[in-house]
């Protein structure tokens, strides 16, 4: 790309990726944001050792587990820092969270195809953009960077800079612009994001990175290391610790609530807002209080919004497609840790017309003794807890809420009327949370059916701490869910009696 | 009267639009000029020159016609009359909540309309009654909405700050100060995306001019060459705070920095028209532009603000005497002998009657049906979900909803 070349996009700030990256004798396409030439790190001078090192690293890469793609391995690795195989936080070695076969949700067709949540979201965006020219993407790093979490990978190349727009870091501004475009009749998908999160492994990876770049520069080859390292941004290129999308969403929350959610009502149907706000929500690992909050309760509180939170790849595909097709504003709460997780998908799910209904929950596991409701990452924990409980003779029914607004009260109540006990699980703060609403719904509509008080598992009512042990205590664990179920089944002493 | 009735019956029909357009004032039949003279071009010099920032200001010589001047007079007089009537209605407690009046600023609305089409978009904040009228809204719709009646433009569910008319390119009507600016940039984005060749005028006040989101949106608009024109209606007071107390630099037309700007006498409808024409051409070619309209509001910020605690009555009456937009056009009409003073008075009387009739009609309109409480939350479905809330709303007296149907969720 030559300086001063006329940009090919009608939106001049969006250069076409076809103009390519700057070459140089060897460039490693590693997904880092391309730095201006004077900031690029220089490679080490060539030495005889490097070809050998290159060959060594060519055959060995840090692969923590089953390889479903280096990107996913990398994310799994990061995500499982401090957790054991079951996803419980420990100071143990790094492991990848893999869905064990026994934990796989029942009801999926038995087909060999698997898909990560990331791929599911990417394919959903791809198909909806292909089907409707009014759909466009907007957000930080969605274009040339291929997406901060690689959700939008490849879309800039396919649809061009007029439909995949990189924005400056100005949430209030670009969210307002997205809502305005929706007023006019376009279908924006707004992603909130800054950087990914894991600074903790930075030095280890930088070291490997330098060796790779040195080796490749010696050979003059372009090596795609894939996305293993695109989690990491050298300090000089980027900001510090990354941020959770929906934490940034509250910078723009005025536009989500006042400009989007309320508009159809205030205008008596004159102006509708077919927009999707999406991005990761809730806690990751070690990103502390400003980047770990779950905003499900905040958005689900507001009439005029639809709020969805997928768990599996099927959820991610079906719900995102439904959200994009929906004529109302949808807040789509993803989970960073789930992005790399793989789920089996049937042919039906892979079909481009696949769509899930908004407002319907899914019974992930049937049971008869207790109902556990959860959404997003907590569905995983609930399923693990159900497995533990089944060995102790308690049959738990796990409901994956999928939709927080509208809440599928019918499914929840029907389940509670069957099992007579309820445990709601959420990651967010307890007060005025999703569990509080579910509890009230059940009390209003199925009070006589309850055999025990409703148990509510939520994140600790504190800003998220950083220290690994405190963080583990602040987020619900499988044990907490198991214990709550036992209390609901009167297998253990009620909390009040123990006080 | 018949015209008003026709308007009520067919809010959106082309005929009512035709009836609304002040193309041929009733004085013409007895007027000093023939029909053919209505289109004779007149050149008027604006009283105050334009001041440019990073752009060459347009000429002070403005082309107009007698027909256009009469139209300006009629529109502005109608707007003035409407706002004064709204003042009385508010004091009579028929209008509740917020009511932000536009009298004094009419030239901005009217001059802008003269320069653009209905395909161009306008978005503003809460001082929106006159802009709605300029975009083709009717008096009955306006008063009905202000009084919260079903025939209002938002079915009584929006109120003073939430007037919309999407088919005429009017996107409201926003209560959050400054929010409408990024929204307006979004409208311009969509216009460019769809290659429509139209522009958006995003209006805001001197109070909103310091909002961060404005600069965020302006940055993106300049980066992406969006056809948006930011119009700062500088009436010199952000609620009770004078501009010199709120802005380090009250030269709002320069605040865009890298974005060109133009300072315009906002009390001169012809200057506004010239500036908006210039701005539209500029925006389509070169991206965003800021227009600062130097204007003034006679009322306080809203009906709960007397408007005299932070400025003197002398100042208000001084502006009214020297710079009133309607008087300016009246002088032009009289000096060019387009109509006589008596004819203009007749027009004003006729408009007063029209406004009074519209108010009477609006007063007759019923309030929205209670079932309207739950409509239009979504475009698509989920009506049954709302029923659950009835358990909490005792006033509706519908607490006997059976539990099973409360939890149904329909698409």
């Amino acid at each position: 790309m030559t300086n001063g070349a006329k940009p090919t996009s009608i939106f001049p700030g969006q250069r076409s990726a076809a103009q390519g990256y700057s070459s140089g004798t060897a460039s490693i396409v590693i997904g880092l944001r391309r730095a201006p030439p004077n900031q690029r790190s220089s490679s080490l001078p060539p030495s005889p050792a490097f070809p050998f090192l290159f060959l060594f690293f060519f055959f060995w890469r840090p692969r923590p587990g089953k390889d479903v793609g280096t990107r996913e391995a990398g994310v799994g690795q990061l995500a499982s820092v401090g957790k054991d195989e079951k996803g419980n936080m420990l100071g143990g070695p790094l492991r990848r969270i893999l869905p064990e076969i026994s934990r796989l949700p029942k009801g999926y067709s038995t087909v060999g195809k698997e898909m990560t949540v990331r791929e599911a979201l990417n394919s959903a965006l791809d198909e909806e953009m292909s089907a409707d020219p009014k759909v466009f993407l907007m957000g930080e790093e969605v274009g040339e960077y291929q997406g901060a979490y690689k959700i939008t990978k490849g879309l800039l190349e396919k649809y061009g800079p007029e439909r995949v727009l990189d924005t400056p870091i100005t949430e209030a501004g670009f969210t307002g612009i997205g809502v305005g475009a929706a007023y006019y009749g376009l279908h924006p998908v707004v992603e909130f994001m800054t950087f990914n999160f894991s600074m903790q492994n930075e030095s280890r990876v930088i070291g490997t990175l330098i060796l790779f770049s040195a080796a490749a520069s010696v050979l003059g080859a372009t090596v795609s290391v894939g996305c293993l390292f695109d989690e990491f941004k050298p300090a000089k290129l980027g900001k510090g610790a990354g941020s959770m999308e929906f934490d940034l969403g509250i910078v723009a929350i005025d536009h989500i609530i006042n400009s989007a959610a309320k508009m159809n009502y205030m205008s008596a149907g004159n102006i509708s807002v077919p927009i999707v706000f999406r991005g990761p929500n809730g806690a990751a690992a070690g990103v502390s209080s400003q980047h770990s909050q779950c905003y499900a309760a905040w958005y689900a509180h507001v009439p005029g919004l639809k709020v969805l939170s997928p768990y599996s790849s099927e959820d991610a595909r079906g719900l995102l497609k439904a959200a994009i097709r929906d004529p109302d504003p949808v807040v789509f709460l993803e989970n960073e840790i789930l992005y790399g997780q793989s789920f089996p998908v049937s042919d039906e799910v892979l079909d481009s017309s696949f769509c899930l209904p908004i407002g319907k929950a899914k019974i992930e596991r049937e049971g008869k003794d207790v109902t556990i409701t959860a959404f997003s990452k907590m569905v995983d924990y609930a399923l693990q807890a159900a497995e533990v409980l089944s060995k102790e003779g308690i049959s738990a029914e796990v409901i994956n809420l999928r939709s927080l607004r509208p809440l599928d009260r019918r499914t929840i109540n029907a389940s509670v009327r069957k099992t007579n006990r309820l445990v709601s699980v959420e990651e967010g703060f307890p007060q005025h949370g999703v569990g509080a609403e579910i509890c009230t719904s059940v009390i209003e509509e199925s009070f006589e059916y309850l055999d025990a008080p409703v148990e509510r598992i939520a994140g600790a009512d504190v800003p998220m701490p950083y220290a690994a042990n405190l963080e583990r205590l602040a987020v619900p664990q499988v044990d907490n869910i198991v214990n709550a179920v036992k209390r609901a089944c009167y297998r253990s002493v009620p909390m009040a009696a123990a006080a | 009267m018949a015209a008003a009735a026709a308007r009520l019956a067919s809010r959106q029909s082309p005929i009512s639009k035709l009836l609304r357009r002040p193309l041929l004032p009733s004085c013409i039949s007895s007027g000093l000029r023939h029909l053919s003279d209505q289109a004779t071009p007149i050149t008027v010099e604006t009283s105050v020159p334009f001041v440019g920032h990073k752009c060459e200001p347009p000429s002070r010589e403005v082309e107009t016609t007698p027909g256009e001047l009469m139209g300006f007079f009629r529109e502005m007089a109608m707007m003035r009359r409407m706002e004064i009537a709204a003042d009385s209605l508010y004091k009579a407690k028929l209008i509740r909540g917020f009511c932000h009046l536009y009298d004094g600023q009419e030239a901005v609305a009217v001059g802008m309309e003269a320069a653009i089409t209905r395909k161009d978009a306008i978005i503003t904040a809460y001082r929106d009654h006159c802009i709605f009228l300029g975009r083709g809204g009717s008096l009955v719709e306006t008063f009905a909405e202000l009084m919260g009646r079903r025939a209002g433009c938002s079915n009584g569910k929006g109120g003073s700050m939430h007037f919309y008319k999407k088919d005429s390119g009017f996107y409201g009507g926003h209560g959050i100060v400054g929010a409408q600016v990024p929204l307006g940039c979004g409208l311009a984005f969509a216009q460019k995306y769809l290659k429509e060749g139209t522009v958006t005028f995003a209006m805001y006040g001197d109070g909103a001019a310091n909002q961060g989101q404005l600069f965020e949106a302006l940055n993106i608009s300049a980066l992406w060459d969006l056809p948006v024109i930011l119009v700062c209606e500088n009436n010199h007071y952000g609620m009770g705070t004078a501009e010199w107390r709120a802005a380090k630099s009250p030269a709002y037309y320069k605040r865009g920095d890298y974005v060109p700007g133009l300072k315009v006498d906002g009390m001169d409808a012809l200057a506004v028209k010239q500036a908006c024409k210039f701005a539209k051409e500029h925006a389509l070619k070169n991206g965003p532009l800021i227009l600062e309209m130097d204007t003034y509001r006679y009322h306080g910020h809203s009906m709960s603000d007397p408007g005299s605690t932070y400025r003197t009555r002398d100042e208000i009456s001084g502006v009214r005497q020297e710079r009133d937009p309607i008087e300016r056009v009246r002088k032009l009409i009289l000096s060019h002998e387009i109509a006589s003073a008596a004819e203009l008075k007749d027009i004003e009387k006729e408009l007063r009657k029209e406004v009074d009739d519209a108010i009477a009609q609006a007063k007759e309109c019923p309030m929205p049906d209670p079932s309207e409480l739950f409509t239009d939350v979504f475009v698509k479905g989920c009506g049954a979900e709302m029923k659950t809330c009835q358990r909490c709303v005792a006033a509706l007296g519908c607490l006997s909803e059976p539990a099973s149907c409360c939890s149904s969720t329909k698409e």
Side-chain angles (χ1 to χ4, degrees):
Chain A
M1 187 194 75
T2 54
N3 282 337
K6 193 168 191 331
T8 55
S9 166
I10 62 170
F11 300 114
Q14 313 295 319
R15 287 180 302 234
S16 167
Q19 292 171 291
Y21 297 103
S22 189
S23 56
T25 36
S27 52
I28 300 176
V29 177
I30 53 176
L32 288 183
R33 185 174 64 198
R34 179 167 37 88
N38 58 350
Q39 279 182 30
R40 245 172 238 134
S41 52
S42 52
S43 354
L44 295 175
S47 104
F50 282 111
F52 299 101
L53 281 167
F54 172 75
L55 288 168
F56 174 74
F57 282 108
F58 188 81
F59 290 108
W60 178 87
R61 272 184 289 166
R63 279 184 233 240
K66 179 176 166 191
D67 190 357
V68 289
T70 50
R71 166 68 184 158
E72 289 67 40
V75 171
Q77 180 180 21
L78 297 163
S80 54
V81 163
K83 292 185 187 162
D84 69 7
E85 267 162 18
K86 296 219 164 103
N88 294 321
M89 292 276 202
L90 282 180
L94 299 176
R95 278 194 226 268
R96 170 151 167 62
I97 297 174
L98 284 176
E100 290 150 27
I101 299 299
S102 59
R103 283 200 283 114
L104 282 177
K106 304 235 175 5
Y108 285 145
S109 310
T110 49
V111 175
K113 289 213 189 74
E114 283 210 339
M115 189 182 233
T116 61
V117 171
R118 174 177 294 104
E119 286 161 355
L121 294 169
N122 185 275
S123 62
L125 287 169
D126 191 353
E127 285 162 21
E128 293 305 306
M129 287 183 78
S130 169
D132 183 357
K134 291 193 174 152
V135 177
F136 70 96
L137 305 186
M138 188 159 68
E140 294 154 9
E141 314 297 357
V142 296
E144 291 190 9
Y145 193 77
Q146 305 296 313
Y149 296 100
K150 299 298 173 280
I151 307 297
T152 53
K153 185 174 179 184
L155 296 176
L156 174 64
E157 285 73 25
K158 188 164 177 186
Y159 296 102
E162 279 144 32
R163 295 185 68 192
V164 180
L165 294 128
D166 282 323
T167 60
I169 305 169
T170 50
E171 277 78 11
F174 71 73
T175 308
I177 287 180
V179 175
Y183 284 178
Y184 202 85
L186 297 184
H187 292 249
V189 179
V190 176
E191 178 175 317
F192 296 121
M193 190 57 204
T194 55
F195 298 90
N196 56 72
F197 62 99
S198 182
M199 293 295 282
Q200 62 209 38
N201 275 339
E202 191 197 42
S203 58
R204 189 171 84 111
V205 175
I206 292 298
T208 321
L209 181 66
I210 290 172
L211 283 167
F212 264 108
S213 63
S217 72
V218 167
L219 296 174
T222 302
V223 175
S224 172
V225 177
C227 301
L228 179 65
F229 298 109
D230 63 4
E231 290 288 293
F232 303 99
K233 194 174 291 288
K236 67 178 153 188
L237 280 183
K239 276 185 178 175
S243 33
M244 294 309 297
E245 214 178 86
F246 272 96
D247 284 89
L248 292 170
I250 59 174
V251 175
I253 201 168
D254 173 59
H255 281 294
I256 299 175
I257 310 290
N258 285 316
S259 305
K262 298 176 182 172
M263 179 51 76
N264 199 65
Y265 190 83
M266 295 194 295
S267 68
N270 199 263
I271 299 181
S272 67
V273 195
I275 191 169
V276 176
F277 304 101
R278 52 160 293 272
N281 175 58
V287 289
S288 193
S289 53
Q290 289 181 347
H291 297 111
S292 302
Q293 189 170 340
C294 173
Y295 290 95
W298 285 41
Y299 291 116
H301 186 65
V302 180
L305 286 182
K306 291 176 181 168
V307 182
L308 303 174
S309 194
Y311 159 60
S312 62
S313 301
E314 175 179 323
D315 290 355
R317 253 183 78 77
L319 292 176
L320 186 56
K321 284 158 90 61
I324 295 173
R325 294 178 198 178
D326 199 275
D328 292 303
V330 181
V331 172
F332 195 82
L333 304 170
E334 301 158 4
N335 185 287
E336 192 180 330
I337 296 173
L338 286 176
Y339 283 152
Q341 213 164 326
S342 216
F343 294 86
V345 284
S346 66
D347 284 338
E348 190 203 341
V349 173
L350 292 171
D351 188 72
S352 65
S353 63
F354 176 68
C355 203
L356 286 173
I358 291 179
K360 288 295 300 163
K362 180 181 180 186
I363 299 182
E364 293 285 349
R365 180 187 174 122
E366 283 187 14
K368 53 182 182 45
D369 295 328
V370 64
T371 299
I372 307 178
T373 61
F375 61 96
S376 190
K377 177 125 185 55
M378 292 293 125
V379 177
D380 191 29
Y381 285 16
L383 289 168
Q384 291 181 52
E387 197 50 42
V388 168
L389 289 162
S390 71
K391 296 191 178 72
E392 304 190 27
I394 300 177
S395 155
E397 177 150 294
V398 177
I399 298 182
N400 171 6
L401 293 173
R402 284 182 168 174
S403 175
L404 298 168
R405 183 181 261 271
L407 196 58
D408 190 355
R409 300 168 202 275
R410 170 178 265 173
T411 301
I412 297 168
N413 277 280
S415 175
V416 171
R417 287 178 185 203
K418 182 174 76 168
T419 63
N420 309 125
R421 291 162 213 277
L422 174 65
V423 174
S424 84
V425 184
E426 65 188 298
E427 204 184 297
F429 302 133
Q431 189 166 339
H432 308 299
V434 175
E437 176 61 29
I438 293 174
C439 175
T440 305
S441 171
V442 164
I443 286 173
E444 281 174 350
E445 296 168 26
S446 311
F447 182 66
E448 315 77 45
Y449 293 84
L450 282 171
D451 285 348
V454 173
E455 292 280 342
R456 174 177 60 163
I457 293 294
D461 201 18
V462 297
M464 180 70 72
Y466 169 66
N469 63 329
L470 294 181
E471 189 181 40
R472 178 165 55 94
L473 291 172
V475 176
Q477 305 299 332
V478 177
D479 293 340
N480 301 130
I481 304 174
V482 168
N483 291 338
V485 168
K486 285 180 179 167
R487 284 195 301 272
C489 295
Y490 298 134
R491 297 281 195 96
S492 67
V493 180
M495 302 275 290
Chain B
M1 185 65 164
R7 241 172 269 131
L8 179 65
S10 53
R11 252 157 64 170
Q12 314 287 346
S13 82
I15 295 173
S16 68
K17 279 189 200 148
L18 202 60
L19 286 171
R20 273 283 291 106
R21 289 196 64 79
L23 283 173
L24 301 171
S26 56
C27 71
I28 268 305
S29 51
S30 58
L32 295 168
R33 295 234 176 167
H34 296 299
L35 237 67
S36 53
D37 293 334
Q38 289 300 310
T40 319
I42 303 174
T43 306
V44 179
E45 196 195 44
T46 65
S47 50
V48 173
F50 299 105
V51 184
H53 165 73
K54 301 217 167 134
C55 71
E56 205 44 54
S59 154
R60 279 173 76 177
E61 309 288 325
V62 185
E63 292 273 314
T64 182
T65 64
E68 185 173 69
L69 286 174
M70 289 303 292
F72 280 0
F73 180 82
R74 201 191 149 80
E75 286 271 353
M76 290 200 281
M78 164 121 54
M79 291 173 178
R80 178 69 58 89
R81 198 60 239 138
M82 176 181 74
E83 295 293 72
I84 308 249
D87 177 305
S88 313
L89 286 174
Y90 192 91
K91 287 173 176 146
K93 297 202 191 318
L94 284 163
I95 299 178
R96 309 177 311 122
F98 291 124
C99 190
H100 305 87
L101 298 177
Y102 200 70
D103 53 318
Q105 299 183 211
E106 299 91 350
V108 178
V110 156
M112 191 181 288
E113 282 299 329
I116 63 176
T117 69
R118 291 281 164 81
K119 292 255 180 317
D120 297 306
I122 299 182
I123 191 169
T124 186
Y126 41 76
R127 210 175 294 279
D128 57 348
H129 311 158
C130 298
I131 305 199
F132 173 71
L133 216 60
R135 287 263 93 180
S138 73
L139 285 169
V140 177
E141 277 180 307
T142 308
F143 287 117
E145 186 61 36
L146 288 171
M147 293 193 273
R149 307 298 168 101
R150 193 190 299 171
C153 54
S154 300
N155 292 358
K157 288 159 81 166
S160 163
M161 300 191 290
H162 303 296
F163 284 50
Y164 305 96
K165 201 165 165 55
K166 186 170 174 177
D167 56 2
S168 297
F170 182 53
Y171 289 85
H174 295 270
I176 307 294
V177 172
Q180 75 278 12
V181 177
L183 295 172
C185 296
L187 294 171
F189 175 90
Q191 288 170 324
K192 182 164 184 172
Y193 188 98
L194 296 170
K195 301 187 169 59
E196 303 214 330
T198 51
V199 299
T200 297
F201 285 80
M203 303 172 77
Y204 61 100
D206 48 294
N210 304 307
Q211 277 261 319
Q213 57 185 319
L214 191 154
F215 295 97
E216 294 185 14
L218 195 60
N219 175 53
I220 294 179
S221 304
L223 212 49
W224 297 351
D225 273 347
L226 301 184
V228 65
I229 297 119
L230 269 61
V231 180
C232 178
E233 293 183 280
N234 182 7
N235 55 26
H236 308 285
Y237 296 94
M239 203 156 122
T241 305
E243 58 179 337
W244 58 270
R245 288 177 64 219
K248 183 70 179 175
S249 163
Y252 300 108
Y253 70 109
K254 288 188 186 167
R255 292 281 290 275
D257 184 16
Y258 42 83
V259 171
L262 196 67
K263 186 164 169 153
V264 185
D265 178 5
M267 305 296 258
D268 181 350
L270 289 171
V272 172
K273 173 186 149 184
Q274 183 86 322
C276 291
K277 251 178 71 179
F278 169 80
K280 178 170 174 174
E281 279 163 27
H282 183 280
L284 285 171
K285 275 208 299 281
N286 307 324
L289 182 84
I290 297 183
L291 293 179
E292 182 187 336
M293 304 287 181
D294 185 354
T295 182
Y296 200 84
R297 52 166 164 82
Y298 298 140
H299 270 87
H301 164 73
S302 72
M303 287 305 300
S304 21
D305 170 26
S308 50
T309 55
Y310 47 86
R311 52 185 191 173
T312 62
R313 293 191 199 279
D314 286 342
E315 180 189 296
I316 305 171
S317 54
V319 174
R320 205 188 274 273
Q321 262 162 13
E322 321 252 308
R323 300 178 65 204
D324 185 79
I326 301 177
E327 292 314 306
R328 177 169 295 175
V329 171
R330 192 197 303 267
K331 282 198 198 97
L332 270 174
I333 290 173
L334 294 175
S335 68
H336 284 91
E337 293 174 353
I338 299 169
S340 71
E343 278 160 348
L344 294 179
K345 276 262 164 348
D346 284 341
I347 292 178
E348 284 177 297
K349 250 194 263 170
E350 187 194 310
L351 286 170
R352 198 191 177 110
K353 186 167 186 309
E354 221 176 288
V355 167
D356 289 342
D357 289 342
I359 292 177
Q361 208 158 45
K363 278 183 183 167
E364 297 298 310
C365 287
M367 306 276 271
D369 190 81
S371 65
E372 291 278 330
L373 180 64
F374 294 119
T375 57
D376 294 320
V377 177
F378 292 128
V379 172
K380 186 178 171 194
C382 308
E385 164 86 7
M386 306 312 141
K387 285 201 181 130
T388 321
C389 301
Q390 290 185 357
R391 299 172 71 105
C392 315
V393 182
L396 285 174
C398 299
L399 294 176
S400 55
E401 288 288 328
S404 56
C405 97
C406 278
S407 42
S408 68
T409 52
K410 288 187 212 135
E411 259 294 293

